[in-house]
Amino acid sequence: MQSEALVIVMAFATVAASGLKHDDLIVAVGDRLEFLTDGSTYRTLALDSYNASKLSALAYDATTRKLFFSDRHHLYGHIFSVNLGDESHLVEDIVERNTNETVESLAYDPVRKMLLWTDWFNRSIRRVQLAKEHIHIEEKDGVEIVHFLEDDAKPRGLVFDPCMRMLYWTNVYKSRPTIERSFLNGSQREILIQTDLFVPNALDLDVLDQRLYWADNLREDDYRTFNIERSFVNGTGRQKIYRGISQFVVSLTVGGDYVYWTDYNHKKLWYVRKDGSSKSSMMLRTYSRNPAMGVVVYRHEPLKCGSLNTPEIDFEDAVDIETKKMYIIFVNLICLVMVGMVATLTFRFWKFTGCKSTLVPSKSKKLFAFQNFENCRSSITMSERTSTQAEPVSPSSTESVNVLLTNERHSDTAALFKYEF
Ligand SMILES: *[C@@H]1O[C@H](CO)[C@@H](O)[C@H](O)[C@H]1NC(C)=O
Ligand SMILES: *[C@@H]1O[C@H](CO)[C@@H](O)[C@H](O)[C@H]1NC(C)=O
Ligand SMILES: *[C@@H]1O[C@H](CO)[C@@H](O)[C@H](O)[C@H]1NC(C)=O
Ligand SMILES: *[C@@H]1O[C@H](CO)[C@@H](O)[C@H](O)[C@H]1NC(C)=O
Ligand SMILES: *[C@@H]1O[C@H](CO)[C@@H](O)[C@H](O)[C@H]1NC(C)=O
């Protein structure tokens, strides 16, 4: 205990001297959430509004202030959310448990409101769109599959880059562990790292620096040696930033200056400088009863993509289905109303003129491509042209209709007509 206190004191001294700053963190410990501020003060949050048991797989969305998590031992629920901006901390059950699926890691895309996770049991990466508030779905229906991985795959870590629109994951299968990426729709899948990997359990991304950070537990049997590593998002520039012993890393997060991880063996939360300049790892917290199964940076502001060369977000892709449906219905309604109006007015106009003087006012001449003054049939044809040519929502067609209406009583339209040509 004394040596631990010493480590903490030393850690603070180092922090003070270097001007580096701790990020605020959210840690999942047993059935509780812990909020750690400035690396020193902490408060715990018991999720009283539901029967929590073993929280893990944290993902935090600063735009909605929602924390997503999984509860491994919960009987019915699979993925939950809690609104941290709201004092009541009401827990919502978002995805119901189906059979044996597990949620290893969660990621969230605030642009498309897409929640993604790695499923170990059924070797897949799955996603669900949170198109509206208070959504509740059963694993077997509302869920889409991004990747159904090879027979022996065991997907574990997962992170999404909201700026560059890329998904990254680790596969911890014994014979061929990998770190991979693809687009959100599963296309352009690519293996980034596949050598010198053992059990790459935890993964995170420094979005602004475009670097991946991961923890690799070297020996699965006795859980002793581990590496904390990083590379550019394309897999190049790989760098070992820390090598330690006698820990089993279960989750990892990268902040402004440090990378943090939780250790299952000693139930501790550790950190090192993310640039690799730390000689030893430093400890932030020890938990007495349960190991911390998840840790994530508690960002108070949504991430700004800033100077990153972000791809254009495909509008079709970004609009959620509900909104798209509403939009189509709306446009259809407008079209119907317009067609109705034009038809009514045309009918009135036709009745009023008694099929004789279909003289054209100057402004609406674009609607009347050609004229035949001799019979009613042609004026009906002409009216049909009017309705098909009318653009559904543009104000100019409304204007033309009005012009048509006011000019019905114009006595000298013939003269006008002449001048215009
Ligand atoms: C709470 O969950 C535990 C296991 O996760 C279960 O044994 C217990 O019966 C549950 N309690 C209630 C009130 O649902
Ligand atoms: C779930 O796991 C149990 C125990 O491993 C197994 O007996 C059962 O068949 C599995 N269920 C499905 C649907 O695969
Ligand atoms: C795995 O997922 C697929 C696709 O959702 C599903 O058809 C299949 O039944 C699942 N397998 C198990 C064992 O649950
Ligand atoms: C998948 O997403 C990418 C990037 O958003 C896009 O360029 C590509 O066309 C999409 N592919 C399919 C099949 O939709
Ligand atoms: C990988 O990314 C780094 C850093 O952005 C860049 O310097 C390098 O050229 C990239 N390599 C390839 C093969 O794209």
Side-chain angles (χ1 to χ4, degrees):
M1 213 51 207
Q2 238 175 9
S3 70
E4 275 171 12
L6 193 67
V7 170
I8 290 178
V9 169
M10 275 164 51
F12 283 148
T14 324
V15 170
S18 60
L20 302 182
K21 204 175 159 301
H22 273 298
D23 298 85
D24 291 349
L25 302 172
I26 310 174
V27 193
V29 193
D31 61 356
R32 271 137 210 270
L33 294 171
E34 181 179 278
F35 296 84
L36 194 62
T37 311
D38 300 327
S40 52
T41 53
Y42 62 91
R43 67 189 170 88
T44 53
L45 174 67
L47 298 168
D48 294 328
S49 63
Y50 98 119
N51 184 17
S53 62
K54 192 176 182 189
L55 310 181
S56 66
L58 303 181
Y60 180 65
D61 173 36
T63 60
T64 55
R65 307 201 60 191
K66 266 190 186 164
L67 178 74
F68 300 97
F69 60 93
S70 176
D71 190 336
R72 286 178 177 241
H73 293 167
H74 200 273
L75 295 179
Y76 315 108
H78 208 173
I79 301 171
F80 301 83
S81 78
V82 57
N83 190 340
L84 299 181
D86 172 13
E87 277 308 307
S88 66
H89 297 309
L90 208 66
V91 172
E92 288 185 46
D93 181 353
I94 300 179
V95 181
E96 224 168 80
R97 188 180 289 279
N98 184 15
T99 48
N100 286 349
E101 281 101 348
T102 59
V103 174
E104 300 293 324
S105 287
L106 276 167
Y108 184 72
D109 172 18
V111 178
R112 289 191 63 189
K113 298 189 170 68
M114 196 71 87
L115 188 62
L116 299 121
W117 66 96
T118 42
D119 175 12
W120 167 282
F121 175 76
N122 208 344
R123 57 172 207 283
S124 52
I125 295 172
R126 290 161 185 248
R127 68 179 204 187
V128 69
Q129 189 163 43
L130 307 184
K132 52 184 196 295
E133 289 279 300
H134 315 301
I135 202 161
H136 175 84
I137 28 198
E138 288 191 30
E139 168 85 55
K140 56 183 183 294
D141 32 63
V143 176
E144 294 171 279
I145 297 197
V146 182
H147 291 291
F148 205 72
L149 299 168
E150 298 69 29
D151 275 350
D152 53 1
K154 297 267 178 233
R156 178 61 67 73
L158 181 74
V159 62
F160 182 70
D161 182 346
C163 296
M164 306 306 284
R165 319 295 304 148
M166 274 281 180
L167 185 66
Y168 299 85
W169 71 93
T170 69
N171 175 6
V172 301
Y173 185 65
K174 236 190 229 160
S175 69
R176 197 166 163 268
T178 53
I179 299 177
E180 305 186 33
R181 72 172 172 188
S182 79
F183 285 127
L184 192 55
N185 58 16
S187 72
Q188 215 139 315
R189 182 177 165 192
E190 188 183 352
I191 294 178
L192 303 170
I193 309 267
Q194 57 183 332
T195 54
D196 292 322
L197 277 183
F198 299 89
V199 187
N201 241 354
L203 178 74
D204 199 13
L205 171 72
D206 187 338
V207 174
L208 298 182
D209 199 27
Q210 287 290 294
R211 269 191 234 242
L212 291 167
Y213 287 76
W214 68 91
D216 190 12
N217 296 288
L218 295 199
R219 294 228 298 275
E220 215 180 4
D221 46 358
D222 57 1
Y223 305 148
R224 294 196 77 82
T225 319
F226 70 97
N227 284 332
I228 308 291
E229 296 190 61
R230 68 175 182 178
S231 79
F232 293 122
V233 288
N234 60 15
T236 68
R238 186 172 173 182
Q239 189 186 358
K240 218 163 267 178
I241 60 174
Y242 184 71
R243 184 183 177 90
I245 53 159
S246 86
Q247 291 188 27
F248 187 72
V249 182
V250 287
S251 73
L252 171 146
T253 189
V254 57
D257 295 320
Y258 299 111
V259 46
Y260 304 85
W261 70 90
T262 64
D263 158 29
Y264 191 87
N265 283 4
H266 300 103
K267 303 180 185 144
K268 290 185 202 301
L269 173 64
W270 303 87
Y271 68 100
V272 292
R273 283 189 212 167
K274 72 176 185 183
D275 63 4
S277 64
S278 296
K279 289 279 177 290
S280 61
S281 59
M282 294 156 280
M283 196 195 60
L284 266 188
R285 293 275 294 135
T286 302
Y287 302 99
S288 54
R289 241 167 15 119
N290 299 293
M293 297 302 290
V295 59
V296 72
V297 168
Y298 189 10
R299 223 177 272 292
H300 297 287
E301 294 287 323
L303 194 74
K304 292 193 181 68
C305 297
S307 59
L308 288 177
N309 194 9
T310 53
E312 251 180 62
I313 291 165
D314 184 0
F315 180 72
E316 277 297 304
D317 214 35
V319 174
D320 56 68
I321 293 152
E322 283 300 310
T323 317
K324 223 186 293 187
K325 264 192 219 150
M326 291 305 289
Y327 179 74
I328 290 168
I329 291 171
F330 179 72
V331 168
N332 278 341
L333 267 176
I334 297 262
C335 284
L336 267 176
V337 167
M338 288 306 298
V339 167
M341 267 172 67
V342 170
T344 313
L345 289 172
T346 310
F347 181 69
R348 278 181 56 188
F349 175 58
W350 175 60
K351 237 173 77 179
F352 183 81
T353 54
C355 314
K356 274 180 197 130
S357 52
T358 45
L359 294 178
V360 187
S362 62
K363 277 185 191 159
S364 53
K365 81 182 166 213
K366 69 170 185 220
L367 294 177
F368 293 76
F370 43 82
Q371 291 275 317
N372 186 335
F373 297 97
E374 269 151 35
N375 58 49
C376 301
R377 276 189 100 240
S378 65
S379 94
I380 293 167
T381 321
M382 175 189 83
S383 313
E384 277 165 4
R385 287 187 62 83
T386 317
S387 59
T388 51
Q389 280 190 354
E391 293 152 37
V393 247
S394 92
S396 71
S397 54
T398 324
E399 195 181 279
S400 310
V401 172
N402 288 340
V403 169
L404 208 61
L405 193 65
T406 48
N407 280 298
E408 274 179 344
R409 292 172 192 90
H410 206 294
S411 54
D412 205 17
T413 39
L416 245 170
F417 183 61
K418 210 173 103 194
Y419 283 119
E420 279 300 311
F421 284 84

